[in-house]
Amino acid sequence: MEHPEEALRLEIKTDVRRIREQALWAGLKPGMRVADIGCGPGKTTSVLYGLVQPGGEAVGFDASRQRIEYARQNYGGGDTGGNGIKFVQADISGLAPGQAGLFDFIWVRFVLEYYRSGSFGLVKKISELLRPGGVLCLIDLDHNCLSHYSLPPRLENTLFKLIRALEEKADFDPYAGRKLYSFLFDMGFKDIDVNVSAHHLIFGQWKQEDLYNWFKKIEVATSKINFPFDEYPDGGQGFLTEFLDFFKDPRRFIYTPLIACRGVKP
Ligand SMILES: C[S@@+](CC[C@H](N)C(=O)[O-])C[C@H]1O[C@@H](n2cnc3c(N)ncnc32)[C@H](O)[C@@H]1O
């Protein structure tokens, strides 16, 4: 999802109340040292930081320089990190435990969906940053972008083909959510718990922020893989127009299962 407005898209769609609920459910407590892996624009990190006060520390890691700059500007921390919140530009797959120190709690939300072929390897790498007895909380979507009713047949067919193409060509994983429990199980984590809820729940009157989020997703995804849109005489534009009509119809129903999974490192 690399594009100049990605920090803004993530910022707009972040629901602070739900992040708080999920983090408390997973066991985040005051005084902990928490890492937010793939922190995006830093909004989630700032919420996690609030929950570990007093006395706790939060570090947001992201591979994108643009997102880390945005996070530093908007959520403090400066280059070196003041007041216990800090943002570090780093590709997590190359980060050694000694570099960042160990964490009591690690939060990974909406990152594994970009690693269909390598998500378990990445989770193992991330768990090296956790102290024994620390909590790992993985959150991702299942049937990502695929649960809409009622799509016209051409739109449904194209959407499924598009997601399949993203799986094959861009390593996107629309089913990342269902894998999280097995990852923690296979690593021998204890006290594993799972919570399933609805994300992107849309019915009735459309909202500007939802429209923006979906259109940015489609725009960026299609630009990544040069998808042909064979069933539309005017190509991608025709697909977008039909999706817009569907999206604005108050009868349509959209949701995505969100799966949160937490466990304790042995
Ligand atoms: C969809 S955003 C999610 C942001 C945030 N976690 C949230 O829940 O809103 C995914 C973020 O993960 C970052 N990311 C992806 N792979 C990464 C990696 N290997 N190391 C660090 N960051 C990564 C991307 O740059 C992007 O900002």
Side-chain angles (χ1 to χ4, degrees):
M1 290 295 294
E2 285 309 313
H3 65 95
E5 286 173 53
E6 180 60 359
L8 185 63
R9 185 189 74 87
L10 292 169
E11 172 89 25
I12 290 172
K13 83 181 187 81
T14 301
D15 180 342
V16 168
R17 188 181 53 83
R18 289 199 75 197
I19 288 172
R20 255 191 218 118
E21 282 169 10
Q22 288 159 351
L24 292 172
W25 163 82
L28 188 63
K29 293 196 170 53
M32 283 182 160
R33 183 163 193 259
V34 56
D36 183 3
I37 306 292
C39 64
K43 194 166 176 177
T44 51
T45 323
S46 81
V47 175
L48 301 175
Y49 172 67
L51 293 174
V52 296
Q53 299 316 304
E57 189 187 330
V59 184
F61 295 95
D62 203 286
S64 154
R65 185 171 58 81
Q66 182 243 13
R67 241 142 283 151
I68 289 294
E69 275 169 10
Y70 184 102
R72 285 177 182 159
Q73 273 163 20
N74 290 277
Y75 296 105
D79 282 354
T80 49
N83 310 320
I85 184 165
K86 162 161 115 167
F87 294 97
V88 177
Q89 188 195 352
D91 186 322
I92 209 69
S93 58
L95 201 67
Q99 270 173 277
L102 293 179
F103 292 91
D104 304 306
F105 187 107
I106 300 185
W107 167 274
V108 190
R109 193 180 80 136
F110 303 155
V111 177
L112 301 174
E113 64 196 64
Y114 300 106
Y115 294 93
R116 188 171 75 105
S117 58
S119 50
F120 188 40
L122 198 59
V123 172
K124 284 199 267 192
K125 186 88 199 163
I126 290 168
S127 76
E128 290 174 12
L129 305 178
L130 196 61
R131 69 162 172 81
V135 174
L136 181 56
C137 179
L138 307 173
I139 302 181
D140 229 307
L141 301 170
D142 204 42
H143 284 285
N144 196 348
C145 301
L146 292 171
S147 303
H148 311 272
Y149 186 79
S150 55
L151 287 170
R154 177 174 69 164
L155 191 57
E156 181 160 53
N157 200 21
T158 303
L159 189 65
F160 274 74
K161 277 199 219 156
L162 174 61
I163 297 294
R164 167 61 68 185
L166 284 168
E167 285 181 64
E168 286 163 3
K169 295 185 181 166
D171 212 24
F172 175 65
D173 189 353
Y175 308 107
R178 68 182 61 177
K179 301 175 180 172
L180 307 179
Y181 168 76
S182 309
F183 289 168
L184 295 189
F185 183 91
D186 289 347
M187 292 193 305
F189 273 54
K190 306 292 174 208
D191 300 328
I192 301 177
D193 201 359
V194 178
N195 181 277
V196 181
S197 57
H199 187 67
H200 290 150
L201 177 61
I202 301 171
F203 55 92
Q205 188 57 37
W206 61 279
K207 294 196 194 93
Q208 191 60 43
E209 73 223 49
D210 290 330
L211 186 71
Y212 175 78
N213 181 29
W214 275 98
F215 268 76
K216 267 289 153 227
K217 264 174 181 296
I218 293 175
E219 190 185 309
V220 176
T222 51
S223 70
K224 287 265 171 275
I225 54 167
N226 197 17
F227 188 75
F229 295 102
D230 292 336
E231 292 186 61
Y232 291 85
D234 47 350
Q237 197 45 54
F239 171 79
L240 279 177
T241 305
E242 197 169 18
F243 188 81
L244 184 65
D245 288 345
F246 162 77
F247 192 89
K248 288 193 166 175
D249 180 352
R251 180 180 177 272
R252 56 80 191 92
F253 182 77
I254 296 176
Y255 84 108
T256 309
L258 181 136
I259 302 184
C261 191
R262 59 83 72 195
V264 175
K265 183 172 173 172

